[in-house]
Amino acid sequence: MSKKLTIGLFGFGVVGQGLYDIIRTKNLNIEIVKICIKDGSKKRTLPSHLFTTDKNELLNNPEINTIVELINDTEAAFEIVSRALSTGKNVVSASKKMIALHLNELIELQHNYGTSLLYEGAVCGSIPIIRNLEEYYDNELLHSICGIFNGSSNYILSKGFIENLDYDSALKQAQDLGFAETDPTMDVGGFDAKFKLVIAAAHAYGVVVKPEEVFNLGIQSLSAYDLQYAREKNLKIKLVPVAKELDDRHVALFVLPKFVNETEFLYNVEYEYNGVIVQAAFADQQFFFGKGAGGHPTGSAVLSDIAALRYDYQYEYKKAKEKKDLNFTNDIEINIYLRYVDDDLVEALEFEHIHERYYSGSYKFVIGKINLQKLIDNQSRILEDKAFIAFADQLAGVSLAPAKKQTAEVF
Ligand code: HSE
């Protein structure tokens, strides 16, 4: 018989409420003892004795053996999670930014105190990708992981592409539906996808990378020109994080918009759905698809972690512990589409090869090969220019065959 879990829940927002709805419909030997919230004056749908604004009522309560942390304050989340782990309580968290920023410390805390931290709900909502990367692909050589990891930006792209809805209205809808982060720049700027990528890469490759070292550019400068261009070529634009093993010693990570054609899995991933493509040596290509945001989909992943704790499941971080000589690098060449305003930006980026250059009125773009490091060096200039960049293998005439060494053609 599995052990009874007595839960202290932090946060009662979209995911917290989604989790509560799911738990209450099942007979799971799980009890939510107390819920800690930030705003005690807000009207709640549950009896008031369940709520507190004092975190110590949960963290110091010996009757609570499990903490579920679903708040959106990164540093407060880290404090709660580390205190719980170091006082013998297992934890489930969906705070991707907190986990990505503090992953090494969190691994160490679990090791030192013999407690478990699970976070399936932090990466791609309902898609069970972390436990798969951790367990299933243990013996498989993973060439790459990529996909759509952010529901809000995909929602905005789908609304624009399929329904011609403007960017601001689509973002407002994503916020109203509870998909977007408190600061939506996290979503549209590719930060949220990057945090999830960093977590996934730790389980896939055993490489723990600092998020600030990973390049991310989002869809915030997407224009009608870019959409029109994609349509004319029968392509769609998606925001795609990529983790790719370049050779036995190097792994590259980055987040960029990408043109996708109709033969690619990601082409039909729309709205708040996410998709993860795993390219493995022997299994070849595999595709995971499911809702990436929203209370019930994310709540279902959180519940799955809670259920796993009934059997004392822990991530072993086997690949990180056995880490051979695999290091993170930004030294790769990628083919990009750059729509820009200032010609000097093109010069500064020092394209290694230009496949196509076009200008007509205020629409100017260039397609060519570039070193990722040049994008990193010029990131603020790119944002100031409101330039839009997308990963563009198809447009540069590169085949879609599996990757060659030292390039980032991932599909
Ligand atoms: N803001 C996130 C998204 C929520 O849109 O994907 C789920 O992590």
Side-chain angles (χ1 to χ4, degrees):
M1 171 91 176
S2 64
K3 72 176 179 197
K4 177 169 182 183
L5 295 188
T6 45
I7 291 177
L9 172 61
F10 281 88
F12 203 59
V14 174
V15 181
Q17 289 182 47
L19 174 69
Y20 193 88
D21 287 349
I22 301 170
I23 286 183
R24 132 178 112 174
T25 60
K26 304 252 175 207
N27 184 12
L28 292 166
N29 206 17
I30 292 171
E31 183 194 353
I32 296 187
V33 177
K34 208 78 180 171
I35 304 171
C36 185
I37 45 165
K38 200 161 69 178
D39 182 358
S41 64
K42 236 190 211 174
K43 268 214 143 134
R44 306 285 171 180
T45 46
L46 303 175
S48 59
H49 68 84
L50 271 174
F51 293 98
T52 177
T53 52
D54 178 5
K55 60 178 183 258
N56 294 318
E57 278 193 41
L58 283 65
L59 292 169
N60 295 343
N61 185 343
E63 280 167 27
I64 289 176
N65 59 20
T66 307
I67 293 293
V68 177
E69 180 282 299
L70 305 171
I71 65 174
N72 57 19
D73 176 335
T74 302
E75 285 320 303
F78 180 59
E79 200 213 316
I80 289 162
V81 171
S82 27
R83 254 185 76 187
L85 289 173
S86 55
T87 52
K89 296 189 198 302
N90 291 329
V91 180
V92 174
S93 168
S95 296
K96 48 263 159 134
K97 182 176 180 184
M98 182 277 287
I99 297 164
L101 287 175
H102 296 285
L103 195 48
N104 271 327
E105 292 146 278
L106 294 168
I107 294 172
E108 207 175 305
L109 278 168
Q110 292 175 79
H111 177 77
N112 290 347
Y113 293 95
T115 41
S116 173
L117 167 66
L118 304 180
Y119 38 77
E120 194 65 73
V123 182
C124 298
S126 66
I127 301 176
I129 192 64
I130 297 301
R131 255 186 274 166
N132 271 305
L133 292 172
E134 171 82 11
E135 305 286 345
Y136 184 81
Y137 295 102
D138 189 23
N139 299 313
E140 261 272 29
L141 196 58
L142 288 178
H143 290 318
S144 67
I145 310 156
C146 63
I148 292 169
F149 287 17
N150 181 263
S152 302
S153 50
N154 203 48
Y155 185 89
I156 294 167
L157 290 169
S158 293
K159 282 280 170 180
F161 232 93
I162 299 169
E163 302 176 32
N164 268 319
L165 191 68
D166 66 275
Y167 183 96
D168 290 336
S169 308
L171 172 58
K172 170 84 175 46
Q173 285 187 9
Q175 287 175 311
D176 291 346
L177 288 163
F179 301 153
E181 299 301 304
T182 314
D183 171 7
T185 316
M186 292 291 120
D187 298 294
V188 297
F191 294 93
D192 180 77
K194 171 167 82 171
F195 300 137
K196 293 166 178 169
L197 180 70
V198 163
I199 298 169
H203 290 274
Y205 295 113
V207 174
V208 180
V209 184
K210 289 195 179 78
E212 63 268 25
E213 291 177 5
V214 177
F215 179 73
N216 62 291
L217 203 66
I219 57 163
Q220 62 274 64
S221 301
L222 180 74
S223 75
Y225 288 126
D226 308 312
L227 288 172
Q228 184 56 26
Y229 181 82
R231 280 199 187 97
E232 279 169 15
K233 303 267 177 192
N234 288 324
L235 299 168
K236 286 182 185 170
I237 296 169
K238 298 291 181 185
L239 181 60
V240 178
V242 177
K244 180 171 170 52
E245 195 173 49
L246 303 174
D247 56 33
D248 294 346
R249 297 196 40 218
H250 299 102
V251 59
L253 271 65
F254 58 91
V255 181
L256 266 180
K258 180 185 188 299
F259 288 104
V260 293
N261 70 28
E262 60 190 358
T263 67
E264 296 177 65
F265 290 126
L266 299 184
Y267 190 85
N268 291 316
V269 178
E270 299 291 5
Y271 301 102
E272 75 270 31
Y273 278 87
N274 282 189
V276 183
I277 301 170
V278 175
Q279 177 79 48
F282 306 109
D284 209 344
Q285 209 174 61
Q286 292 175 311
F287 180 52
F288 301 80
F289 172 73
K291 283 194 173 168
H296 287 161
T298 311
S300 76
V302 173
L303 179 64
S304 174
D305 279 347
I306 294 172
L309 286 179
R310 290 188 303 174
Y311 299 94
D312 294 317
Y313 178 75
Q314 293 185 296
Y315 300 136
E316 288 180 56
Y317 300 99
K318 290 183 284 257
K319 293 167 202 165
K321 283 179 192 152
E322 289 162 11
K323 194 166 74 171
K324 299 184 185 100
D325 227 357
L326 202 54
N327 291 301
F328 168 69
T329 180
N330 279 317
D331 185 18
I332 46 164
E333 288 169 352
I334 54 175
N335 292 299
I336 62 162
Y337 158 100
L338 164 74
R339 198 248 319 125
Y340 63 95
V341 176
D342 181 3
D343 292 301
D344 291 345
L345 176 63
V346 181
E347 300 315 310
L349 289 174
E350 294 178 29
F351 277 82
E352 287 168 26
H353 170 77
I354 290 196
H355 181 76
E356 187 181 346
R357 197 160 181 171
Y358 173 92
Y359 32 89
S360 164
S362 53
Y363 182 31
K364 302 195 275 189
F365 73 79
V366 53
I367 294 168
K369 185 182 277 191
I370 196 166
N371 191 292
L372 180 63
Q373 190 59 49
K374 292 286 167 207
L375 295 183
I376 296 166
D377 297 344
N378 290 282
Q379 184 147 23
S380 49
R381 199 164 174 174
I382 292 165
L383 291 170
E384 273 160 34
D385 189 83
K386 296 207 180 321
F388 179 74
I389 296 181
F391 196 62
D393 277 354
Q394 298 92 335
L395 303 170
V398 176
S399 84
L400 302 180
K404 290 183 227 137
K405 303 243 185 257
Q406 301 297 343
T407 71
E409 303 142 27
V410 281
F411 304 108

PDB file of all heavy atoms in Angstrom, residues 310-334:
ATOM      1  N   ARG A 310       4.215   8.975  -3.684  1.00  0.00           N
ATOM      2  CA  ARG A 310       3.639   7.952  -2.789  1.00  0.00           C
ATOM      3  C   ARG A 310       4.511   6.702  -2.797  1.00  0.00           C
ATOM      4  O   ARG A 310       4.455   5.882  -1.910  1.00  0.00           O
ATOM      5  CB  ARG A 310       2.218   7.588  -3.243  1.00  0.00           C
ATOM      6  CG  ARG A 310       1.232   8.728  -3.001  1.00  0.00           C
ATOM      7  CD  ARG A 310      -0.171   8.288  -3.279  1.00  0.00           C
ATOM      8  NE  ARG A 310      -0.285   7.794  -4.649  1.00  0.00           N
ATOM      9  CZ  ARG A 310      -1.353   7.227  -5.160  1.00  0.00           C
ATOM     10  NH1 ARG A 310      -2.416   7.030  -4.414  1.00  0.00           N
ATOM     11  NH2 ARG A 310      -1.383   6.833  -6.410  1.00  0.00           N
ATOM     12  N   TYR A 311       5.268   6.552  -3.875  1.00  0.00           N
ATOM     13  CA  TYR A 311       6.181   5.397  -3.974  1.00  0.00           C
ATOM     14  C   TYR A 311       7.640   5.853  -3.838  1.00  0.00           C
ATOM     15  O   TYR A 311       8.558   5.196  -4.312  1.00  0.00           O
ATOM     16  CB  TYR A 311       5.960   4.667  -5.305  1.00  0.00           C
ATOM     17  CG  TYR A 311       4.561   4.148  -5.413  1.00  0.00           C
ATOM     18  CD1 TYR A 311       3.570   4.894  -6.038  1.00  0.00           C
ATOM     19  CD2 TYR A 311       4.215   2.925  -4.832  1.00  0.00           C
ATOM     20  CE1 TYR A 311       2.265   4.429  -6.093  1.00  0.00           C
ATOM     21  CE2 TYR A 311       2.911   2.461  -4.884  1.00  0.00           C
ATOM     22  CZ  TYR A 311       1.938   3.215  -5.509  1.00  0.00           C
ATOM     23  OH  TYR A 311       0.645   2.756  -5.551  1.00  0.00           O
ATOM     24  N   ASP A 312       7.837   7.041  -3.263  1.00  0.00           N
ATOM     25  CA  ASP A 312       9.185   7.579  -3.002  1.00  0.00           C
ATOM     26  C   ASP A 312      10.046   7.703  -4.257  1.00  0.00           C
ATOM     27  O   ASP A 312      11.263   7.477  -4.209  1.00  0.00           O
ATOM     28  CB  ASP A 312       9.919   6.720  -1.953  1.00  0.00           C
ATOM     29  CG  ASP A 312       9.241   6.815  -0.598  1.00  0.00           C
ATOM     30  OD1 ASP A 312       8.871   7.929  -0.216  1.00  0.00           O
ATOM     31  OD2 ASP A 312       9.055   5.756   0.043  1.00  0.00           O
ATOM     32  N   TYR A 313       9.417   8.067  -5.354  1.00  0.00           N
ATOM     33  CA  TYR A 313      10.188   8.241  -6.586  1.00  0.00           C
ATOM     34  C   TYR A 313      11.111   9.464  -6.461  1.00  0.00           C
ATOM     35  O   TYR A 313      10.734  10.491  -5.913  1.00  0.00           O
ATOM     36  CB  TYR A 313       9.254   8.421  -7.782  1.00  0.00           C
ATOM     37  CG  TYR A 313       9.994   8.658  -9.069  1.00  0.00           C
ATOM     38  CD1 TYR A 313      10.649   7.613  -9.715  1.00  0.00           C
ATOM     39  CD2 TYR A 313      10.072   9.941  -9.628  1.00  0.00           C
ATOM     40  CE1 TYR A 313      11.357   7.841 -10.886  1.00  0.00           C
ATOM     41  CE2 TYR A 313      10.779  10.168 -10.801  1.00  0.00           C
ATOM     42  CZ  TYR A 313      11.420   9.118 -11.422  1.00  0.00           C
ATOM     43  OH  TYR A 313      12.126   9.337 -12.573  1.00  0.00           O
ATOM     44  N   GLN A 314      12.321   9.314  -6.975  1.00  0.00           N
ATOM     45  CA  GLN A 314      13.285  10.434  -7.019  1.00  0.00           C
ATOM     46  C   GLN A 314      13.957  10.466  -8.383  1.00  0.00           C
ATOM     47  O   GLN A 314      14.202   9.407  -8.953  1.00  0.00           O
ATOM     48  CB  GLN A 314      14.421  10.214  -6.011  1.00  0.00           C
ATOM     49  CG  GLN A 314      14.012  10.266  -4.574  1.00  0.00           C
ATOM     50  CD  GLN A 314      15.229  10.153  -3.665  1.00  0.00           C
ATOM     51  OE1 GLN A 314      15.876   9.126  -3.674  1.00  0.00           O
ATOM     52  NE2 GLN A 314      15.528  11.203  -2.922  1.00  0.00           N
ATOM     53  N   TYR A 315      14.276  11.652  -8.869  1.00  0.00           N
ATOM     54  CA  TYR A 315      15.150  11.709 -10.046  1.00  0.00           C
ATOM     55  C   TYR A 315      16.545  11.307  -9.568  1.00  0.00           C
ATOM     56  O   TYR A 315      17.007  11.774  -8.527  1.00  0.00           O
ATOM     57  CB  TYR A 315      15.240  13.131 -10.616  1.00  0.00           C
ATOM     58  CG  TYR A 315      13.942  13.741 -11.074  1.00  0.00           C
ATOM     59  CD1 TYR A 315      13.639  15.061 -10.760  1.00  0.00           C
ATOM     60  CD2 TYR A 315      13.021  13.037 -11.848  1.00  0.00           C
ATOM     61  CE1 TYR A 315      12.460  15.662 -11.191  1.00  0.00           C
ATOM     62  CE2 TYR A 315      11.840  13.630 -12.279  1.00  0.00           C
ATOM     63  CZ  TYR A 315      11.560  14.941 -11.948  1.00  0.00           C
ATOM     64  OH  TYR A 315      10.398  15.527 -12.362  1.00  0.00           O
ATOM     65  N   GLU A 316      17.202  10.502 -10.366  1.00  0.00           N
ATOM     66  CA  GLU A 316      18.556  10.088  -9.955  1.00  0.00           C
ATOM     67  C   GLU A 316      19.650  10.968 -10.560  1.00  0.00           C
ATOM     68  O   GLU A 316      20.786  10.902 -10.147  1.00  0.00           O
ATOM     69  CB  GLU A 316      18.796   8.630 -10.355  1.00  0.00           C
ATOM     70  CG  GLU A 316      18.006   7.653  -9.507  1.00  0.00           C
ATOM     71  CD  GLU A 316      18.271   6.235  -9.930  1.00  0.00           C
ATOM     72  OE1 GLU A 316      19.442   5.819  -9.940  1.00  0.00           O
ATOM     73  OE2 GLU A 316      17.297   5.553 -10.301  1.00  0.00           O
ATOM     74  N   TYR A 317      19.307  11.742 -11.563  1.00  0.00           N
ATOM     75  CA  TYR A 317      20.297  12.585 -12.260  1.00  0.00           C
ATOM     76  C   TYR A 317      21.504  11.744 -12.667  1.00  0.00           C
ATOM     77  O   TYR A 317      22.653  12.150 -12.519  1.00  0.00           O
ATOM     78  CB  TYR A 317      20.738  13.765 -11.376  1.00  0.00           C
ATOM     79  CG  TYR A 317      19.592  14.676 -10.977  1.00  0.00           C
ATOM     80  CD1 TYR A 317      18.979  14.557  -9.733  1.00  0.00           C
ATOM     81  CD2 TYR A 317      19.103  15.648 -11.848  1.00  0.00           C
ATOM     82  CE1 TYR A 317      17.923  15.381  -9.362  1.00  0.00           C
ATOM     83  CE2 TYR A 317      18.047  16.473 -11.475  1.00  0.00           C
ATOM     84  CZ  TYR A 317      17.467  16.331 -10.231  1.00  0.00           C
ATOM     85  OH  TYR A 317      16.417  17.143  -9.866  1.00  0.00           O
ATOM     86  N   LYS A 318      21.202  10.558 -13.177  1.00  0.00           N
ATOM     87  CA  LYS A 318      22.279   9.615 -13.512  1.00  0.00           C
ATOM     88  C   LYS A 318      23.266  10.214 -14.500  1.00  0.00           C
ATOM     89  O   LYS A 318      24.471  10.079 -14.365  1.00  0.00           O
ATOM     90  CB  LYS A 318      21.687   8.330 -14.119  1.00  0.00           C
ATOM     91  CG  LYS A 318      20.935   7.489 -13.119  1.00  0.00           C
ATOM     92  CD  LYS A 318      20.439   6.220 -13.753  1.00  0.00           C
ATOM     93  CE  LYS A 318      19.228   6.466 -14.623  1.00  0.00           C
ATOM     94  NZ  LYS A 318      17.935   6.091 -14.106  1.00  0.00           N
ATOM     95  N   LYS A 319      22.706  10.888 -15.523  1.00  0.00           N
ATOM     96  CA  LYS A 319      23.595  11.395 -16.579  1.00  0.00           C
ATOM     97  C   LYS A 319      24.486  12.502 -16.048  1.00  0.00           C
ATOM     98  O   LYS A 319      25.647  12.615 -16.441  1.00  0.00           O
ATOM     99  CB  LYS A 319      22.777  11.869 -17.769  1.00  0.00           C
ATOM    100  CG  LYS A 319      22.072  10.712 -18.450  1.00  0.00           C
ATOM    101  CD  LYS A 319      21.023  11.185 -19.432  1.00  0.00           C
ATOM    102  CE  LYS A 319      20.016  10.090 -19.683  1.00  0.00           C
ATOM    103  NZ  LYS A 319      18.801  10.553 -20.324  1.00  0.00           N
ATOM    104  N   ALA A 320      23.947  13.331 -15.141  1.00  0.00           N
ATOM    105  CA  ALA A 320      24.769  14.403 -14.556  1.00  0.00           C
ATOM    106  C   ALA A 320      25.874  13.803 -13.694  1.00  0.00           C
ATOM    107  O   ALA A 320      27.014  14.274 -13.702  1.00  0.00           O
ATOM    108  CB  ALA A 320      23.903  15.339 -13.729  1.00  0.00           C
ATOM    109  N   LYS A 321      25.539  12.746 -12.966  1.00  0.00           N
ATOM    110  CA  LYS A 321      26.543  12.142 -12.071  1.00  0.00           C
ATOM    111  C   LYS A 321      27.643  11.449 -12.865  1.00  0.00           C
ATOM    112  O   LYS A 321      28.805  11.474 -12.494  1.00  0.00           O
ATOM    113  CB  LYS A 321      25.871  11.163 -11.119  1.00  0.00           C
ATOM    114  CG  LYS A 321      25.133  11.882  -9.995  1.00  0.00           C
ATOM    115  CD  LYS A 321      24.443  10.922  -9.066  1.00  0.00           C
ATOM    116  CE  LYS A 321      23.499  11.672  -8.149  1.00  0.00           C
ATOM    117  NZ  LYS A 321      22.380  10.864  -7.699  1.00  0.00           N
ATOM    118  N   GLU A 322      27.219  10.807 -13.981  1.00  0.00           N
ATOM    119  CA  GLU A 322      28.217  10.070 -14.767  1.00  0.00           C
ATOM    120  C   GLU A 322      28.849  10.943 -15.833  1.00  0.00           C
ATOM    121  O   GLU A 322      29.523  10.444 -16.719  1.00  0.00           O
ATOM    122  CB  GLU A 322      27.519   8.934 -15.550  1.00  0.00           C
ATOM    123  CG  GLU A 322      27.036   7.808 -14.706  1.00  0.00           C
ATOM    124  CD  GLU A 322      25.998   6.976 -15.458  1.00  0.00           C
ATOM    125  OE1 GLU A 322      25.833   7.181 -16.679  1.00  0.00           O
ATOM    126  OE2 GLU A 322      25.347   6.156 -14.809  1.00  0.00           O
ATOM    127  N   LYS A 323      28.555  12.226 -15.773  1.00  0.00           N
ATOM    128  CA  LYS A 323      28.901  13.125 -16.883  1.00  0.00           C
ATOM    129  C   LYS A 323      30.305  12.876 -17.388  1.00  0.00           C
ATOM    130  O   LYS A 323      31.267  12.913 -16.627  1.00  0.00           O
ATOM    131  CB  LYS A 323      28.734  14.571 -16.462  1.00  0.00           C
ATOM    132  CG  LYS A 323      28.750  15.512 -17.623  1.00  0.00           C
ATOM    133  CD  LYS A 323      28.247  16.864 -17.226  1.00  0.00           C
ATOM    134  CE  LYS A 323      29.269  17.574 -16.399  1.00  0.00           C
ATOM    135  NZ  LYS A 323      28.960  18.951 -16.146  1.00  0.00           N
ATOM    136  N   LYS A 324      30.353  12.648 -18.676  1.00  0.00           N
ATOM    137  CA  LYS A 324      31.669  12.397 -19.250  1.00  0.00           C
ATOM    138  C   LYS A 324      32.279  13.742 -19.566  1.00  0.00           C
ATOM    139  O   LYS A 324      32.497  14.535 -18.669  1.00  0.00           O
ATOM    140  CB  LYS A 324      31.518  11.477 -20.435  1.00  0.00           C
ATOM    141  CG  LYS A 324      30.906  10.160 -19.963  1.00  0.00           C
ATOM    142  CD  LYS A 324      30.779   9.118 -21.007  1.00  0.00           C
ATOM    143  CE  LYS A 324      30.055   7.931 -20.408  1.00  0.00           C
ATOM    144  NZ  LYS A 324      28.639   7.898 -20.769  1.00  0.00           N
ATOM    145  N   ASP A 325      32.477  13.983 -20.800  1.00  0.00           N
ATOM    146  CA  ASP A 325      33.170  15.212 -21.133  1.00  0.00           C
ATOM    147  C   ASP A 325      32.297  16.142 -21.946  1.00  0.00           C
ATOM    148  O   ASP A 325      32.776  16.832 -22.822  1.00  0.00           O
ATOM    149  CB  ASP A 325      34.425  14.835 -21.922  1.00  0.00           C
ATOM    150  CG  ASP A 325      35.620  15.563 -21.382  1.00  0.00           C
ATOM    151  OD1 ASP A 325      35.423  16.369 -20.469  1.00  0.00           O
ATOM    152  OD2 ASP A 325      36.727  15.324 -21.891  1.00  0.00           O
ATOM    153  N   LEU A 326      31.009  16.137 -21.644  1.00  0.00           N
ATOM    154  CA  LEU A 326      30.078  16.898 -22.473  1.00  0.00           C
ATOM    155  C   LEU A 326      29.951  18.322 -21.934  1.00  0.00           C
ATOM    156  O   LEU A 326      29.622  18.520 -20.776  1.00  0.00           O
ATOM    157  CB  LEU A 326      28.718  16.189 -22.437  1.00  0.00           C
ATOM    158  CG  LEU A 326      27.743  16.455 -23.566  1.00  0.00           C
ATOM    159  CD1 LEU A 326      28.360  16.195 -24.925  1.00  0.00           C
ATOM    160  CD2 LEU A 326      26.495  15.597 -23.379  1.00  0.00           C
ATOM    161  N   ASN A 327      30.225  19.287 -22.793  1.00  0.00           N
ATOM    162  CA  ASN A 327      30.191  20.682 -22.359  1.00  0.00           C
ATOM    163  C   ASN A 327      29.253  21.504 -23.226  1.00  0.00           C
ATOM    164  O   ASN A 327      29.100  21.247 -24.414  1.00  0.00           O
ATOM    165  CB  ASN A 327      31.594  21.296 -22.451  1.00  0.00           C
ATOM    166  CG  ASN A 327      32.502  20.689 -21.420  1.00  0.00           C
ATOM    167  OD1 ASN A 327      32.232  20.756 -20.230  1.00  0.00           O
ATOM    168  ND2 ASN A 327      33.561  20.039 -21.884  1.00  0.00           N
ATOM    169  N   PHE A 328      28.715  22.534 -22.623  1.00  0.00           N
ATOM    170  CA  PHE A 328      27.824  23.446 -23.338  1.00  0.00           C
ATOM    171  C   PHE A 328      28.648  24.372 -24.222  1.00  0.00           C
ATOM    172  O   PHE A 328      29.707  24.864 -23.822  1.00  0.00           O
ATOM    173  CB  PHE A 328      27.035  24.243 -22.296  1.00  0.00           C
ATOM    174  CG  PHE A 328      26.283  25.403 -22.874  1.00  0.00           C
ATOM    175  CD1 PHE A 328      25.195  25.194 -23.708  1.00  0.00           C
ATOM    176  CD2 PHE A 328      26.665  26.703 -22.585  1.00  0.00           C
ATOM    177  CE1 PHE A 328      24.502  26.267 -24.245  1.00  0.00           C
ATOM    178  CE2 PHE A 328      25.974  27.785 -23.114  1.00  0.00           C
ATOM    179  CZ  PHE A 328      24.892  27.559 -23.945  1.00  0.00           C
ATOM    180  N   THR A 329      28.172  24.620 -25.434  1.00  0.00           N
ATOM    181  CA  THR A 329      28.861  25.561 -26.326  1.00  0.00           C
ATOM    182  C   THR A 329      27.857  26.405 -27.109  1.00  0.00           C
ATOM    183  O   THR A 329      26.730  25.971 -27.368  1.00  0.00           O
ATOM    184  CB  THR A 329      29.771  24.823 -27.329  1.00  0.00           C
ATOM    185  OG1 THR A 329      30.422  25.788 -28.164  1.00  0.00           O
ATOM    186  CG2 THR A 329      28.994  23.885 -28.238  1.00  0.00           C
ATOM    187  N   ASN A 330      28.298  27.614 -27.460  1.00  0.00           N
ATOM    188  CA  ASN A 330      27.508  28.448 -28.373  1.00  0.00           C
ATOM    189  C   ASN A 330      28.200  28.555 -29.732  1.00  0.00           C
ATOM    190  O   ASN A 330      27.815  29.362 -30.569  1.00  0.00           O
ATOM    191  CB  ASN A 330      27.339  29.853 -27.776  1.00  0.00           C
ATOM    192  CG  ASN A 330      26.220  29.901 -26.754  1.00  0.00           C
ATOM    193  OD1 ASN A 330      25.145  29.333 -26.976  1.00  0.00           O
ATOM    194  ND2 ASN A 330      26.451  30.556 -25.636  1.00  0.00           N
ATOM    195  N   ASP A 331      29.221  27.741 -29.928  1.00  0.00           N
ATOM    196  CA  ASP A 331      29.995  27.841 -31.159  1.00  0.00           C
ATOM    197  C   ASP A 331      29.397  26.940 -32.243  1.00  0.00           C
ATOM    198  O   ASP A 331      29.913  25.860 -32.531  1.00  0.00           O
ATOM    199  CB  ASP A 331      31.456  27.457 -30.861  1.00  0.00           C
ATOM    200  CG  ASP A 331      32.336  27.653 -32.078  1.00  0.00           C
ATOM    201  OD1 ASP A 331      31.911  28.377 -33.006  1.00  0.00           O
ATOM    202  OD2 ASP A 331      33.431  27.072 -32.115  1.00  0.00           O
ATOM    203  N   ILE A 332      28.295  27.407 -32.817  1.00  0.00           N
ATOM    204  CA  ILE A 332      27.673  26.646 -33.910  1.00  0.00           C
ATOM    205  C   ILE A 332      27.213  27.607 -35.002  1.00  0.00           C
ATOM    206  O   ILE A 332      26.979  28.791 -34.739  1.00  0.00           O
ATOM    207  CB  ILE A 332      26.435  25.839 -33.456  1.00  0.00           C
ATOM    208  CG1 ILE A 332      25.528  26.700 -32.608  1.00  0.00           C
ATOM    209  CG2 ILE A 332      26.793  24.543 -32.810  1.00  0.00           C
ATOM    210  CD1 ILE A 332      24.152  26.118 -32.471  1.00  0.00           C
ATOM    211  N   GLU A 333      27.067  27.052 -36.173  1.00  0.00           N
ATOM    212  CA  GLU A 333      26.576  27.858 -37.289  1.00  0.00           C
ATOM    213  C   GLU A 333      25.123  27.514 -37.538  1.00  0.00           C
ATOM    214  O   GLU A 333      24.754  26.335 -37.512  1.00  0.00           O
ATOM    215  CB  GLU A 333      27.397  27.562 -38.535  1.00  0.00           C
ATOM    216  CG  GLU A 333      28.780  28.140 -38.420  1.00  0.00           C
ATOM    217  CD  GLU A 333      29.687  27.647 -39.517  1.00  0.00           C
ATOM    218  OE1 GLU A 333      29.293  26.733 -40.275  1.00  0.00           O
ATOM    219  OE2 GLU A 333      30.790  28.177 -39.607  1.00  0.00           O
ATOM    220  N   ILE A 334      24.331  28.555 -37.759  1.00  0.00           N
ATOM    221  CA  ILE A 334      22.912  28.288 -38.053  1.00  0.00           C
ATOM    222  C   ILE A 334      22.482  29.135 -39.248  1.00  0.00           C
ATOM    223  O   ILE A 334      23.051  30.201 -39.511  1.00  0.00           O
ATOM    224  CB  ILE A 334      22.004  28.591 -36.837  1.00  0.00           C
ATOM    225  CG1 ILE A 334      22.218  30.004 -36.308  1.00  0.00           C
ATOM    226  CG2 ILE A 334      22.226  27.581 -35.726  1.00  0.00           C
ATOM    227  CD1 ILE A 334      21.254  30.370 -35.187  1.00  0.00           C
TER     228      ILE A 334
END
